[in-house]
Amino acid sequence: MIDQVVIIEWWIAQGTSLGVFLSDWFWSQLEGFVDLSQRSSVVYLLSAVSVALVWAMYRQDKQAITSFYSLFSRPIWWSLSAQADYKLWLVNSLLMLAIAPLLLSQLTLAYWLFEQLHLLFSNRPDSTVWPSWLIVTSFTLCHFLLDDFARFYLHRLLHKVPFLWAFHKVHHSARSLTPFTVFRTHPIEALLFTLRSVLVQATSLAIFVFAFGSQADLYTVLGVSVFSFVFNLTGANLRHSHVPLGYWRILESVLMSPAQHQLHHSVEARHFDKNFGVVLSIWDKIWGCHCYSEKHQQIQFGLTKQTVENEHKLTHLYGMPFVEAFQVLLRFKKFKRSSPLNKAK
């Protein structure tokens, strides 16, 4: 009888834990629509529509008007591609919430890096000689540049390293682009970008707190870094849309326009491995992978020109990357065995 009571209590406890977990997940998804640190915020979605409207009125041609109305197109928002985006968004958020307690936290890593700096440099800099506004400006700018470069470089690796490309292909398999396509990622890629964010934030925080103590702070707007706020407010969601909003060429040499990122999703071979940048396009300029947007560009999105069977099914999107990544490892192992250097040994 006691054993039965214990078992019943255990099941009740598990059910309660699951209920709390699902409740936390549900509310976190709703908060994403009001949280200004998330691109899915209603504020940023509405601002993207406003930017697209101003662009269409400025252009005043048929393509621009048609592109603007595509923001409300049911065939785009309810296509098989878009439906897969929504499913991946919900499932991935559940997975990331479940593994979040296992990940190294930003503050833990920042504290460890801070201690390493203490070991390397016995004397901390005298921060009193610097005005607060200069410290805050420097911290905000350096954090932005480091974060944007890290996103560019990881994105480039996801394309250039065959093992990683197997997982990143999930994002590029989208044939209809909506603001929710940003969530169309394999969990392995989502994990890599989470770790990237932790590393960047911990590094910049540790260095500036070590150098300037409590004076180290970011310029923020409603709790969000000013650069992220401006980027999202000025139409970042149009990057994943059918609105080819391009900038003047001189501006596209510095900033990545929505139209440039859309070229990155093109099935045309001439657009492959171009425009990896997020906010800045200068990284692509330096690495020789920059591409300007094209006037009146009309792009087919996806991996191939022909539709692939099951390309939007969850089993395919979650399972095939592991199969392809395993095949890459097998080819690499076979190559190493057949290498002349190994034969010489």
Side-chain angles (χ1 to χ4, degrees), residues 155-198:
H155 190 185
R156 185 173 177 272
L157 288 178
L158 289 169
H159 280 256
K160 296 297 186 180
V161 179
F163 178 84
L164 297 178
W165 171 243
F167 298 100
H168 187 54
K169 283 169 68 175
V170 170
H171 182 65
H172 279 269
S173 65
R175 294 193 178 273
S176 299
L177 300 189
T178 75
F180 290 89
T181 305
V182 73
F183 300 115
R184 187 191 182 99
T185 58
H186 194 278
I188 297 298
E189 179 181 345
L191 182 60
L192 288 173
F193 270 97
T194 298
L195 294 175
R196 177 214 63 82
S197 179
V198 169

